[in-house]
């Protein structure tokens, strides 16, 4: 069945109809699920982003307030100057007590700050006070001392300098203002305390802090199922982040929306069931009817459709078909017998076309030889002509053995060699596998005669080659006959028409003998033969047809 007819079949129309109905429903469910997922993810992201931004704003405000406080203490506090004096002096002790009280009040106001440090540079001493973040990680003051000792630039004068901004040292945020009076005041926060102070984000959320410089690398390392929400602290190179699992978020969807893909898959699985039912009820009976029609069209008039298996309407069609096939079978037998009679009559007419002209030419040559006194050549020509005519006259069958035809061709070529002395040579090769096969009489002689007739030149030598080979097509033996010459070849202007089997008139070309020969093959071998004409160093005629033998049943 061709592609166009297959698409136009009922089976395809049923498939397309069901797909047109079910596919939009499946797509609608999938789209609805996708939109619900996206909306839920967007709402969750927005909720966490708002919460995180709000908290980051509070943290940034406290860090900014702490930075302002340390600035005032470092550059404007008289107690800081007094506290850097001799510890044995009462005024110095009072100043230190006032400083500690001041820091305590500030810790209550800014409870996110873990602690403050006052570095009395001239005395190489630090005054510490723990901040208000009482439920966070306990800060090791020794670590802050180590940080200050390893980073001496922190306690250098930095009025209006970027050196006084918040920076990350190990796991600490540290900010120090140092005045020219050798006093440095700083505040510090442990990074983990920023997260501990963050409101609970839910059991499926993970809180963490990320330095700004590592944020992109960390984002790329996450899987596609993870949602990362970040917010950067103001003037601090740190991002607070929340990590959420999208799979866990999806559990909040209703059952139908959560399992839309599964429902869509189940709906899609009904398509084969619908197709199976329609195929069993409609498509298969119509398919059997269509196959029966094709067998009837191909000539099998004995085929009948089974009954009693299908619906009443289909059964009526089957019965009508069986009745119609029986009637056509009877008519076809009558037509076939008449066609056989016409084919045999046509074949007889074609065979008669091969005989008269050569007999006249032979008589003329014998007359010429006798007049010139070449009696020996005339005798040979009479013998060869007698054999030639005897072969044609005694043939009453449609097919003759290839061996007899080869001997006939050799007789014909010997006659031509007498007619054209020293100007014609030939070579005949026959595959032993097909040496006794049956071919139409005078088939080879007609092809060789065509080469002599159109390839012969008065000043050139003509060589004719006849080759018969065997091959198989679907395990059935075939034969290929190739007749070549070294002449000028077929006229290029009519060669395509000859290969297509277009009828060539006498006035247009005289290569009608080849067409007649091929027509005979088609009549005898039921259009299973093929003809190919082309030019190489001369004309080449190639004919293929089934190899039939005398002991075969012609109906096989």
């Amino acid at each position: 069945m061709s592609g166009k007819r297959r698409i136009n079949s009922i089976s395809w129309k049923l498939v397309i109809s069901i797909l047109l109905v079910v596919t939009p429903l499946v797509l609608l469910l999938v789209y609805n699920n996708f939109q619900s997922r996206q909306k839920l993810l967007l709402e969750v992201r927005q909720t966490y982003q708002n919460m995180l931004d709000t908290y980051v704003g509070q943290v940034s405000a406290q860090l900014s307030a702490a930075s302002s406080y340390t600035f005032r203490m470092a550059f404007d506090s008289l107690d800081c100057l007094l506290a850097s004096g001799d510890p044995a002096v009462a005024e110095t002790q009072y100043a230190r007590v006032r400083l500690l009280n001041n820091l305590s009040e500030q810790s209550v106001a800014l409870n996110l700050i873990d602690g403050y440090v006052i570095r009395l540079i001239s005395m190489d001493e630090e005054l510490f006070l723990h901040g208000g973040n009482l439920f966070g990680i306990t800060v090791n003051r020794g670590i802050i001392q180590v940080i200050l000792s390893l980073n001496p630039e922190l306690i250098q004068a930095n009025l209006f300098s970027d050196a006084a901004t918040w920076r990350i040292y190990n796991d600490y945020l540290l900010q120090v203002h140092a005045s020219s009076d050798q006093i440095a005041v700083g505040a510090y926060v442990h990074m983990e305390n920023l997260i501990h102070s963050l409101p609970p984000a839910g059991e499926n959320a993970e809180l963490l802090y990320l330095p700004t410089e590592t944020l992109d690398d960390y984002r790329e390392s996450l899987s596609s199922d993870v949602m990362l929400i970040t917010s950067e602290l103001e003037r601090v190179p740190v991002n607070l982040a929340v990590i959420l699992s999208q799979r866990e978020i999806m559990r909040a969807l209703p059952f139908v929306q959560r399992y839309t893909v599964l429902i869509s898959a189940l709906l899609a699985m009904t398509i084969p069931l619908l197709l199976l039912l329609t195929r069993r009820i409609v498509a298969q009976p119509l398919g059997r009817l269509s196959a029966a029609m094709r067998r009837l069209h191909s000539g099998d008039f004995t085929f009948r459709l089974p009954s009693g298996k299908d619906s009443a309407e289909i059964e009526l069609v089957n019965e009508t078909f069986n009745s119609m096939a029986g009637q056509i079978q009877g008519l076809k037998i009558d037509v076939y017998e008449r066609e056989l009679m016409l084919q045999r009559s046509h074949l007889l007419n074609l065979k008669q076309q091969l005989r008269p002209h050569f007999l006249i030419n032979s008589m003329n040559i014998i007359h010429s030889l006798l007049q010139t006194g070449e009696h020996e050549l005339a005798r040979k020509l009479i013998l060869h002509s007698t054999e030639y005519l005897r072969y044609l006259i005694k043939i009453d069958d449609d097919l003759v053995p290839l061996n007899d035809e080869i001997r006939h061709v050799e007789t014909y070529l010997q006659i031509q060699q007498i007619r054209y002395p020293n100007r014609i040579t030939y070579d005949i090769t026959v595959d032993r596998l097909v040496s006794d096969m049956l071919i139409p009489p005078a088939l080879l002689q007609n092809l060789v005669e065509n080469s002599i007739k159109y390839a012969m030149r008065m000043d050139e030598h003509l060589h004719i080659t006849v080759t018969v080979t065997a091959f198989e097509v679907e395990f059935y033996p075939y034969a290929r006959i190739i007749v070549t010459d070294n002449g000028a070849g077929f006229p290029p202007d009519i060669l395509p028409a000859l290969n297509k089997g277009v009828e060539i008139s006498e006035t247009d070309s005289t290569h009608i003998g080849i067409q007649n020969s091929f027509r005979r093959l088609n009549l005898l071998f039921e259009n299973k033969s093929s003809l190919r004409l082309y030019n190489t160093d001369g004309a080449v005629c190639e004919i293929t047809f089934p190899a039939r033998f005398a002991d075969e049943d012609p109906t096989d």
Side-chain angles (χ1 to χ4, degrees), residues 190-215:
H190 195 283
M191 301 288 287
E192 290 290 340
N193 287 335
L194 296 179
I195 298 173
H196 283 292
S197 301
L198 186 65
E203 61 180 10
N204 297 320
E206 179 183 355
L207 307 177
L208 68 160
Y209 65 90
L210 297 170
T212 301
E213 61 182 8
T214 64
L215 179 60

Tab-separated table of all heavy atoms in Angstrom, residues 190-215:
chain	number	residue	atom	x	y	z
A	190	HIS	N	30.198	36.495	65.091
A	190	HIS	CA	30.484	35.181	64.501
A	190	HIS	C	29.466	34.915	63.383
A	190	HIS	O	28.264	35.152	63.546
A	190	HIS	CB	30.397	34.081	65.569
A	190	HIS	CG	31.026	32.785	65.141
A	190	HIS	ND1	30.408	31.918	64.263
A	190	HIS	CD2	32.228	32.221	65.466
A	190	HIS	CE1	31.185	30.877	64.054
A	190	HIS	NE2	32.311	31.037	64.780
A	191	MET	N	29.929	34.431	62.235
A	191	MET	CA	29.071	34.250	61.067
A	191	MET	C	27.900	33.308	61.358
A	191	MET	O	26.782	33.530	60.894
A	191	MET	CB	29.875	33.693	59.890
A	191	MET	CG	31.048	34.585	59.473
A	191	MET	SD	30.521	36.088	58.662
A	191	MET	CE	30.019	35.436	57.098
A	192	GLU	N	28.134	32.261	62.125
A	192	GLU	CA	27.064	31.320	62.431
A	192	GLU	C	25.951	31.980	63.242
A	192	GLU	O	24.789	31.589	63.144
A	192	GLU	CB	27.616	30.108	63.186
A	192	GLU	CG	28.491	29.193	62.352
A	192	GLU	CD	27.689	28.442	61.307
A	192	GLU	OE1	26.444	28.348	61.488
A	192	GLU	OE2	28.274	27.968	60.326
A	193	ASN	N	26.308	33.015	64.030
A	193	ASN	CA	25.300	33.696	64.826
A	193	ASN	C	24.329	34.483	63.963
A	193	ASN	O	23.201	34.758	64.373
A	193	ASN	CB	25.955	34.612	65.859
A	193	ASN	CG	26.591	33.812	66.988
A	193	ASN	OD1	26.173	32.680	67.260
A	193	ASN	ND2	27.604	34.375	67.633
A	194	LEU	N	24.801	34.871	62.778
A	194	LEU	CA	23.866	35.531	61.847
A	194	LEU	C	22.740	34.579	61.460
A	194	LEU	O	21.588	34.977	61.302
A	194	LEU	CB	24.612	35.989	60.584
A	194	LEU	CG	25.690	37.060	60.759
A	194	LEU	CD1	26.348	37.365	59.416
A	194	LEU	CD2	25.091	38.328	61.347
A	195	ILE	N	23.081	33.296	61.289
A	195	ILE	CA	22.083	32.304	60.877
A	195	ILE	C	21.214	31.909	62.072
A	195	ILE	O	19.997	31.759	61.954
A	195	ILE	CB	22.778	31.067	60.289
A	195	ILE	CG1	23.570	31.468	59.056
A	195	ILE	CG2	21.780	29.985	59.942
A	195	ILE	CD1	24.416	30.358	58.503
A	196	HIS	N	21.837	31.751	63.261
A	196	HIS	CA	21.065	31.366	64.437
A	196	HIS	C	20.044	32.431	64.799
A	196	HIS	O	18.992	32.116	65.350
A	196	HIS	CB	22.002	31.122	65.629
A	196	HIS	CG	22.723	29.807	65.552
A	196	HIS	ND1	22.084	28.601	65.681
A	196	HIS	CD2	24.044	29.515	65.358
A	196	HIS	CE1	22.959	27.617	65.565
A	196	HIS	NE2	24.163	28.150	65.362
A	197	SER	N	20.351	33.643	64.463
A	197	SER	CA	19.415	34.727	64.782
A	197	SER	C	18.306	34.839	63.755
A	197	SER	O	17.325	35.545	63.975
A	197	SER	CB	20.164	36.066	64.861
A	197	SER	OG	21.172	36.001	65.843
A	198	LEU	N	18.463	34.145	62.610
A	198	LEU	CA	17.453	34.195	61.548
A	198	LEU	C	16.221	33.427	62.001
A	198	LEU	O	16.338	32.350	62.592
A	198	LEU	CB	18.006	33.570	60.262
A	198	LEU	CG	17.141	33.664	59.005
A	198	LEU	CD1	16.978	35.110	58.572
A	198	LEU	CD2	17.745	32.846	57.880
A	199	PRO	N	15.001	33.959	61.726
A	199	PRO	CA	13.774	33.232	62.115
A	199	PRO	C	13.741	31.856	61.467
A	199	PRO	O	14.301	31.649	60.391
A	199	PRO	CB	12.657	34.141	61.562
A	199	PRO	CG	13.280	35.502	61.468
A	199	PRO	CD	14.712	35.266	61.127
A	200	PRO	N	13.087	30.874	62.096
A	200	PRO	CA	13.032	29.511	61.520
A	200	PRO	C	12.464	29.532	60.103
A	200	PRO	O	11.477	30.204	59.826
A	200	PRO	CB	12.096	28.767	62.491
A	200	PRO	CG	12.178	29.540	63.763
A	200	PRO	CD	12.382	30.982	63.384
A	201	ALA	N	13.122	28.766	59.210
A	201	ALA	CA	12.729	28.762	57.791
A	201	ALA	C	11.951	27.514	57.425
A	201	ALA	O	11.615	27.313	56.262
A	201	ALA	CB	13.976	28.862	56.908
A	202	GLY	N	11.647	26.658	58.351
A	202	GLY	CA	10.917	25.438	58.024
A	202	GLY	C	11.834	24.227	58.071
A	202	GLY	O	13.046	24.328	57.902
A	203	GLU	N	11.197	23.026	58.247
A	203	GLU	CA	12.006	21.824	58.417
A	203	GLU	C	12.686	21.391	57.124
A	203	GLU	O	13.663	20.649	57.160
A	203	GLU	CB	11.120	20.692	58.933
A	203	GLU	CG	9.986	20.332	57.986
A	203	GLU	CD	9.132	19.205	58.519
A	203	GLU	OE1	9.309	18.830	59.699
A	203	GLU	OE2	8.298	18.688	57.765
A	204	ASN	N	12.183	21.839	55.984
A	204	ASN	CA	12.769	21.441	54.713
A	204	ASN	C	13.738	22.486	54.156
A	204	ASN	O	14.193	22.357	53.025
A	204	ASN	CB	11.665	21.186	53.681
A	204	ASN	CG	10.753	20.043	54.081
A	204	ASN	OD1	11.225	19.041	54.601
A	204	ASN	ND2	9.460	20.207	53.850
A	205	ALA	N	14.019	23.513	54.918
A	205	ALA	CA	14.893	24.591	54.455
A	205	ALA	C	16.226	24.529	55.202
A	205	ALA	O	16.289	24.154	56.371
A	205	ALA	CB	14.236	25.948	54.670
A	206	GLU	N	17.269	24.908	54.529
A	206	GLU	CA	18.609	24.955	55.118
A	206	GLU	C	19.106	26.399	55.041
A	206	GLU	O	19.057	27.029	53.984
A	206	GLU	CB	19.555	24.026	54.361
A	206	GLU	CG	20.975	24.040	54.906
A	206	GLU	CD	21.919	23.164	54.087
A	206	GLU	OE1	21.440	22.483	53.161
A	206	GLU	OE2	23.142	23.197	54.376
A	207	LEU	N	19.593	26.927	56.208
A	207	LEU	CA	20.095	28.295	56.277
A	207	LEU	C	21.620	28.270	56.258
A	207	LEU	O	22.243	27.414	56.880
A	207	LEU	CB	19.594	28.978	57.559
A	207	LEU	CG	18.061	28.931	57.784
A	207	LEU	CD1	17.719	29.575	59.118
A	207	LEU	CD2	17.343	29.620	56.649
A	208	LEU	N	22.196	29.236	55.552
A	208	LEU	CA	23.651	29.322	55.523
A	208	LEU	C	24.055	30.720	55.098
A	208	LEU	O	23.235	31.513	54.621
A	208	LEU	CB	24.245	28.291	54.562
A	208	LEU	CG	23.993	28.471	53.044
A	208	LEU	CD1	25.036	27.688	52.267
A	208	LEU	CD2	22.611	27.991	52.655
A	209	TYR	N	25.330	31.010	55.310
A	209	TYR	CA	25.890	32.283	54.851
A	209	TYR	C	26.925	31.968	53.777
A	209	TYR	O	27.595	30.950	53.793
A	209	TYR	CB	26.529	33.056	56.015
A	209	TYR	CG	27.729	32.366	56.623
A	209	TYR	CD1	29.019	32.601	56.131
A	209	TYR	CD2	27.577	31.487	57.688
A	209	TYR	CE1	30.115	31.958	56.690
A	209	TYR	CE2	28.665	30.838	58.242
A	209	TYR	CZ	29.934	31.071	57.742
A	209	TYR	OH	31.016	30.442	58.263
A	210	LEU	N	27.040	32.865	52.818
A	210	LEU	CA	27.971	32.675	51.693
A	210	LEU	C	28.697	33.972	51.423
A	210	LEU	O	28.047	35.015	51.197
A	210	LEU	CB	27.200	32.250	50.425
A	210	LEU	CG	26.463	30.909	50.479
A	210	LEU	CD1	25.569	30.760	49.263
A	210	LEU	CD2	27.464	29.766	50.548
A	211	PRO	N	30.019	33.971	51.458
A	211	PRO	CA	30.756	35.169	51.028
A	211	PRO	C	30.375	35.502	49.583
A	211	PRO	O	30.166	34.615	48.743
A	211	PRO	CB	32.225	34.754	51.151
A	211	PRO	CG	32.221	33.638	52.151
A	211	PRO	CD	30.922	32.915	51.948
A	212	THR	N	30.280	36.762	49.264
A	212	THR	CA	29.843	37.190	47.929
A	212	THR	C	30.743	36.630	46.833
A	212	THR	O	30.269	36.244	45.763
A	212	THR	CB	29.825	38.729	47.859
A	212	THR	OG1	28.933	39.224	48.876
A	212	THR	CG2	29.354	39.209	46.502
A	213	GLU	N	32.026	36.529	47.099
A	213	GLU	CA	32.956	36.081	46.063
A	213	GLU	C	32.800	34.596	45.727
A	213	GLU	O	33.218	34.144	44.660
A	213	GLU	CB	34.390	36.363	46.503
A	213	GLU	CG	34.785	35.643	47.776
A	213	GLU	CD	36.196	35.979	48.230
A	213	GLU	OE1	36.807	36.897	47.635
A	213	GLU	OE2	36.663	35.338	49.178
A	214	THR	N	32.188	33.828	46.622
A	214	THR	CA	32.008	32.388	46.366
A	214	THR	C	30.578	32.038	45.957
A	214	THR	O	30.267	30.864	45.753
A	214	THR	CB	32.380	31.574	47.612
A	214	THR	OG1	31.474	31.897	48.684
A	214	THR	CG2	33.809	31.869	48.043
A	215	LEU	N	29.695	33.032	45.850
A	215	LEU	CA	28.279	32.764	45.607
A	215	LEU	C	28.055	32.074	44.261
A	215	LEU	O	27.312	31.085	44.160
A	215	LEU	CB	27.484	34.078	45.677
A	215	LEU	CG	25.979	33.947	45.405
A	215	LEU	CD1	25.334	33.015	46.431
A	215	LEU	CD2	25.317	35.327	45.433
